[in-house]
Amino acid sequence: MKTRLKGILCGLGVLLSPTVFAADVAIVVHGGAGTILKKNMSAEQEQHYAEKLEEATRAGYALLKQGEAGEKAVVAAIQILEESPLFNAGNGAVYTYDETHELDASIMHGKNLEAGAVSGVTTIKSPIEAALAVMQHSSHVLLAGKGAEAFAQSQGLQQVDNSYFNTQHRLKALQKAKARMQEQQREDGGQQGSEKMGTVGAVVLDKSGNIVAGTSTGGMTAKRYGRVGDAPIIGAGTYADNESCGVSATGHGEYFIRYNVAADICARVRYQGVSIQRAAETVINEELKQAGGTGGVIAMDKRGNITMPFNTAGMYRASINVEGKFSVGIYKNLMKDTHKQ
Ligand code: ASP
């Protein structure tokens, strides 16, 4: 009897193993959406972006494969992009109207909907790390400005002078935006072209089946009056729920806040039972597009299905799916879509 039972269990194990027992992991990252046109990019620039995206994706994936928690992979991937001047996050962040940098970031864990975020921070080297500290070591969700910085300091996080985030190309973008604002007598940046690209984000599925999402940004060029975008707003720029999906957004933040974009995508998956592709596509290329909101998202469901829709000319993005398949893209079509590990 005992042997028979063992035999049956063994058989079941073999039958179910690829789907039930395999701890599949996956990761998707983005480096911002906007008017990214091939005619404005050299082959060398394309390569730099693709390489950084690949580095961030593979770093996060390696941690996930080792069985590390999803939040660790999200932070590791985002930190690589924060440290690169190519992206509008950390070093390379856009300038405010007053020629400073005010950074926003958030992270959310899909198991129990825990979340942490910081907004308008000026001296925290890695805003995504600060968001994680808020999630793990504070009873709050969103800390702003000086208070967030004092909290980060109390957690022993690295502080830098605001000039650490300076780059020449972002300064030029600010000068252009300001000249246009003056000419058109506008109060806001009214950003164009590359002035607003480069927010970064990551969504992962870890070995425990948890979805974690994070986003980090310098916001929008020439922003004023303590403007806060969607990136640190849970539900707008970042959302994760193991029951539905994880999302990180990039684009014109005001629209993403008003349309509650990240949470809306997950709500459609959960309540309408539609696929992640369908939900994200509807929100980005129908609802948001009709409203005039530009941008895109990366999203992943609990099975590790990935989608990366955008309604702009391009979006920097890369992923490794549950089968280990790597892909990277800038414009509409993916540049590389391989099984290379
Ligand atoms: N969503 C960011 C913001 O509005 C900017 C971006 O993603 O390009 O602050």
Side-chain angles (χ1 to χ4, degrees):
M1 180 65 195
K2 246 189 181 165
T3 343
R4 239 183 95 195
L5 191 65
K6 217 170 147 192
I8 292 170
L9 285 177
C10 248
L12 260 179
V14 169
L15 273 178
L16 297 177
S17 59
T19 45
V20 176
F21 299 125
D24 294 320
V25 299
I27 180 166
V28 55
V29 309
H30 73 78
T35 319
I36 311 167
L37 299 171
K38 198 164 173 63
K39 64 172 192 212
N40 298 335
M41 292 261 269
S42 66
E44 206 186 359
Q45 277 173 316
E46 277 178 8
Q47 199 187 335
H48 284 155
Y49 277 105
E51 278 172 8
K52 254 309 153 200
L53 289 165
E54 179 160 0
E55 184 189 334
T57 308
R58 291 196 185 281
Y61 186 74
L63 290 170
L64 295 168
K65 271 291 191 200
Q66 286 160 24
E68 294 287 358
E71 53 271 38
K72 204 165 172 185
V74 164
V75 170
I78 289 183
Q79 279 182 328
I80 287 171
L81 303 175
E82 282 182 340
E83 275 163 30
S84 163
L86 292 174
F87 301 95
N88 172 17
N91 177 249
V94 298
Y95 283 78
T96 65
Y97 188 84
D98 299 324
E99 278 189 31
T100 61
H101 308 277
E102 293 175 2
L103 314 175
D104 299 332
S106 67
I107 190 163
M108 185 164 187
H109 196 286
K111 186 177 178 188
N112 38 24
L113 308 195
E114 281 181 352
V118 292
S119 74
V121 294
T122 58
T123 60
I124 299 172
K125 186 180 182 207
S126 170
I128 192 65
E129 193 181 20
L132 178 71
V134 174
M135 179 170 93
Q136 291 180 331
H137 306 297
S138 136
S139 54
H140 307 298
V141 169
L142 172 57
L143 300 181
K146 294 267 170 280
E149 280 158 12
F151 173 76
Q153 222 162 353
S154 78
Q155 293 295 309
L157 303 190
Q158 196 175 343
Q159 312 277 304
V160 290
D161 188 84
N162 195 249
S163 61
Y164 165 82
F165 305 110
N166 288 356
T167 49
Q168 273 310 307
H169 68 288
R170 295 294 187 194
L171 186 59
K172 268 199 201 138
L174 173 70
Q175 285 156 353
K176 254 172 73 184
K178 278 175 105 166
R180 200 175 49 248
M181 285 161 80
Q182 208 171 15
E183 199 183 292
Q184 300 172 353
Q185 300 199 328
R186 303 172 61 139
E187 272 242 316
D188 62 50
Q191 298 180 77
Q192 285 179 1
S194 61
E195 288 163 17
K196 65 177 176 186
M197 285 170 326
T199 291
V200 306
V203 183
V204 305
L205 177 69
D206 70 15
K207 275 201 177 174
S208 310
N210 292 318
I211 301 173
V212 184
T215 312
S216 181
T217 188
M220 291 175 90
T221 300
K223 63 185 184 180
R224 290 172 109 167
Y225 311 124
R227 180 262 186 192
V228 173
D230 59 313
I233 310 292
I234 296 302
T238 302
Y239 197 74
D241 178 358
N242 285 359
E243 293 307 312
S244 52
C245 70
V247 176
S248 170
T250 171
H252 196 153
E254 279 68 10
Y255 287 85
F256 283 72
I257 293 172
R258 292 194 290 114
Y259 282 78
N260 197 33
V261 166
D264 186 24
I265 292 169
C266 293
R268 285 165 192 265
V269 171
R270 185 161 182 180
Y271 303 121
Q272 294 184 334
V274 298
S275 69
I276 186 83
Q277 285 82 4
R278 170 90 186 276
E281 185 64 26
T282 308
V283 172
I284 296 302
N285 275 310
E286 291 177 30
E287 304 266 329
L288 211 57
K289 199 171 173 182
Q290 275 158 26
T294 51
V297 292
I298 50 169
M300 190 187 301
D301 69 14
K302 58 188 170 191
R303 277 180 288 281
N305 293 310
I306 290 169
T307 189
M308 309 177 264
F310 49 94
N311 62 29
T312 47
M315 180 169 85
Y316 299 107
R317 60 203 188 278
S319 65
I320 301 177
N321 72 8
V322 284
E323 290 157 8
K325 185 176 167 185
F326 171 76
S327 74
V328 61
I330 297 178
Y331 318 108
K332 197 162 171 282
N333 297 322
L334 291 169
M335 291 159 72
K336 206 192 272 178
D337 198 358
T338 65
H339 275 279
K340 180 171 81 109
Q341 274 305 297

